Amino acid sequence: MSERVLVTGIGGLLASSLVERAEAVRDVEVTCVDRPDFDLGQPDTITRTVRDHDPDVVIGAAAYTAVDQAEDEPDLAMRLNGEAAGWLARAARNRRREISAVVMVWSRPTRAGGGVPAPGAYGLATGSYSSSNMPLL
């Protein structure tokens, strides 16, 4: 029986790379999702996607990545990079059967050209995924 892997954010580079590598592994069935069917801003689409695909592993690679634009829409950045991670973890936890893993993928937000942490709304939103926000599986 194949291990079913659900990868979110297939429109991005990280998810595309993960899928490319996963397809080379035997006994792994990869399902990729992205907008509009899977929308980080809509908790019901997250729940429905996890329920409908019933994966063994969930890799959350979808994210709000507009660093500069986050200053103009900090609430959206927080919703998509902070709250949505919790929604995805909860959807996985509430499945019909036990799940093998939930992998949430984040990068440390930095300014272009260096390792200096990104200031402002984007840095705050991306850094908001503390263990207090993530439900235990």
Side-chain angles (χ1 to χ4, degrees):
M1 182 176 190
S2 293
E3 183 97 321
R4 292 185 308 264
V5 178
L6 176 67
V7 180
T8 69
I10 192 57
L13 294 175
L14 178 61
S16 298
S17 180
L18 288 168
V19 168
E20 181 180 306
R21 284 161 180 74
E23 289 175 342
V25 178
R26 288 187 343 180
D27 297 327
V28 172
E29 176 188 326
V30 179
T31 301
C32 307
V33 295
D34 209 342
R35 291 176 288 185
D37 298 324
F38 178 88
D39 185 338
L40 285 178
Q42 302 297 322
D44 60 318
T45 69
I46 295 171
T47 301
R48 183 175 46 252
T49 298
V50 172
R51 182 192 64 229
D52 291 352
H53 293 285
D54 196 31
D56 299 303
V57 175
V58 177
I59 300 176
Y64 178 96
T65 59
V67 178
D68 294 332
Q69 192 172 341
E71 295 306 314
D72 294 329
E73 41 191 34
D75 293 338
L76 180 61
M78 183 63 75
R79 182 174 174 87
L80 300 184
N81 283 357
E83 297 171 23
W87 298 332
L88 184 58
R90 281 184 198 86
R93 182 186 61 197
N94 293 332
R95 291 182 44 256
R96 301 185 279 284
R97 57 187 177 77
E98 189 173 321
I99 192 162
S100 300
V102 175
V103 180
M104 306 306 285
V105 182
W106 292 279
S107 63
R108 182 173 176 197
T110 58
R111 290 183 179 154
V116 179
Y122 181 80
L124 290 172
T126 305
S128 72
Y129 60 89
S130 72
S131 59
S132 63
N133 292 331
M134 294 294 289
L136 296 176
L137 298 175

